[in-house]
Amino acid sequence: GSLTRPARTGLSSMYFPPKQAEEFAEELSGEFEGIGAEIGIKEDQLVIIAPLAGSPAEKSGLKPGDKIYLIDGEETYGLALDKAVLKIRGPKGTAVKLTISHNGLQAVQEITIVRDTIVVPTVTWEMKENNIAYLRVSYFNDDTWDQFDKAVKEIKLKSPKGLILDMRSNPGGYLDTAIAVASEWVKSGNIVTEKFSAGRENNHTSIGTHRLVDVPTAVLVDGGSASASEIVAGALQDYGVAKIIGMKTYGKGSVQDFEVLPDGSAIKLTVARWYTPKDRQIDKEGIMPDVVLDSMVESVTSTAGVVEYKDAGLKRAIEMLSNY
């Protein structure tokens, strides 16, 4: 059966106990339990980048730029981002206590937030200044293509000067969706190649109607952009149809078989690896942006001495597209 396959291919396999199997499936659903805030690291300090609208984080008064010093009494200084996320996430109805300071203020306060189910819209979009469209894709899951297709139709009606595709912290998802999305910018040719260990290759070529071919595009990525989002970024970079801005991506370019066993646990088998159109391996390598930023958070001090945190990636993308 499939369990013997890793031994034959010499590639890795992973065993997920039931709890993690649930989390992996949940990652693709766009739904999780937590407080609903995007967090980042600025100068080794954990900060709130943005609370999601209507989330427990927003309702409790968390604001962009808030510094998080303690999570349930534990120091956060130097804590890796993924570890911090795991500490803040947790079952609906349970509470997490964050010790924070609001933007620019020295006073430290404790906020207790009751976790809830957070539904992240897969695709959102809005117009920014200078007639630039901003399109955010958070996952590549069941809903992504329909939502993306609708967003592209709406954006095209605005005849934008440029478009920003934001795939920061997008953990990936379905391969066919990534191919369909990347194809909007690529008229013809290979989007991604699957290479199997026995020398077999599977080329996935451009499909669809290529509606964004003539729209100047900037793509935002970071260390949380993985798998399907790396396929899209890699293809757009290789064809020179978009400038990639941000931080080096995660480097998860392996094709995995996810099998749930009768006890609820699951086995994930690596059966192939992904390569960009120019034959760059995504796995372990990631995608290096054309414009590398050392942080996605930029602090600006106003004349009144108030420190404001700005989205450095978004600012850079708008600047670039405004100058086209």
Side-chain angles (χ1 to χ4, degrees):
S2 60
L3 298 191
T4 60
R5 189 160 42 194
R8 284 209 309 273
T9 60
L11 296 174
S12 64
S13 64
M14 277 165 92
Y15 172 79
F16 285 83
K19 173 93 187 83
Q20 271 174 295
E22 200 177 289
E23 277 168 16
F24 180 74
E26 190 179 82
E27 255 183 26
L28 289 183
S29 72
E31 196 174 282
F32 62 90
E33 295 182 355
I35 67 166
E38 193 180 333
I39 58 175
I41 290 175
K42 173 80 177 161
E43 284 143 16
D44 287 329
Q45 177 62 58
L46 205 58
V47 293
I48 298 283
I49 294 172
L52 297 174
S55 66
E58 187 188 57
K59 288 174 185 162
S60 71
L62 283 182
K63 293 186 170 39
D66 286 352
K67 293 177 176 164
I68 306 172
Y69 298 109
L70 305 173
I71 303 169
D72 286 330
E74 282 185 54
E75 278 274 351
T76 64
Y77 189 80
L79 185 67
L81 196 56
D82 55 344
K83 300 270 196 307
V85 168
L86 288 173
K87 285 182 188 293
I88 293 173
R89 274 194 189 183
K92 175 182 176 170
T94 61
V96 61
K97 187 169 72 183
L98 301 181
T99 306
I100 64 138
S101 74
H102 282 308
N103 208 347
L105 303 173
Q106 293 311 305
V108 170
Q109 64 182 103
E110 280 185 3
I111 293 184
T112 299
I113 306 172
V114 178
R115 299 174 175 110
D116 202 348
T117 300
I118 311 295
V119 179
V120 182
T122 317
V123 178
T124 53
W125 80 272
E126 61 180 307
M127 292 304 289
K128 297 285 187 188
E129 65 249 44
N130 302 339
N131 199 33
I132 290 165
Y134 169 82
L135 175 61
R136 165 107 180 112
V137 179
S138 301
Y139 295 86
F140 287 90
N141 65 11
D142 292 331
D143 311 323
T144 308
W145 176 253
D146 288 345
Q147 291 182 22
F148 181 83
D149 179 48
K150 181 170 177 279
V152 170
K153 283 176 185 150
E154 290 168 2
I155 288 167
K156 287 288 282 184
L157 292 174
K158 301 276 186 190
S159 303
K161 179 184 168 73
L163 186 150
I164 297 162
L165 172 63
D166 188 351
M167 296 189 294
R168 290 175 295 186
S169 302
N170 179 329
Y174 299 128
L175 176 66
D176 55 356
T177 309
I179 293 159
V181 166
S183 295
E184 291 289 358
W185 284 269
V186 179
K187 265 198 177 120
S188 65
N190 221 16
I191 299 292
V192 67
T193 300
E194 262 176 296
K195 292 191 181 182
F196 298 85
S197 58
R200 192 164 64 82
E201 286 188 5
N202 203 351
N203 292 319
H204 298 275
T205 52
S206 178
I207 56 170
T209 53
H210 326 298
R211 292 168 290 180
L212 300 171
V213 164
D214 299 319
V215 181
T217 301
V219 177
L220 294 174
V221 295
D222 63 9
S225 309
S227 109
S229 48
E230 293 178 288
I231 286 173
V232 175
L236 269 50
Q237 187 179 50
D238 277 7
Y239 284 105
V241 293
K243 281 278 183 264
I244 315 296
I245 300 173
M247 294 145 115
K248 188 175 151 185
T249 63
Y250 187 80
K252 190 198 166 303
S254 54
V255 183
Q256 287 166 329
D257 229 358
F258 185 65
E259 294 186 20
V260 178
L261 303 178
D263 68 350
S265 63
I267 285 188
K268 204 161 70 161
L269 308 170
T270 300
V271 292
R273 301 209 185 282
W274 288 325
Y275 287 76
T276 73
K278 286 189 174 173
D279 208 33
R280 295 184 292 153
Q281 179 177 310
I282 292 173
D283 207 41
K284 314 272 190 296
E285 300 294 323
I287 301 297
M288 184 58 81
D290 302 299
V291 178
V292 179
L293 303 178
D294 57 356
S295 172
M296 283 294 180
V297 190
E298 191 176 279
S299 46
V300 182
T301 310
S302 71
T303 44
V306 176
V307 179
E308 269 195 31
Y309 286 89
K310 302 268 188 208
D311 182 335
L314 187 59
K315 184 180 162 209
R316 192 65 185 267
I318 289 172
E319 277 168 12
M320 180 185 282
L321 293 171
S322 299
N323 293 328
Y324 259 88

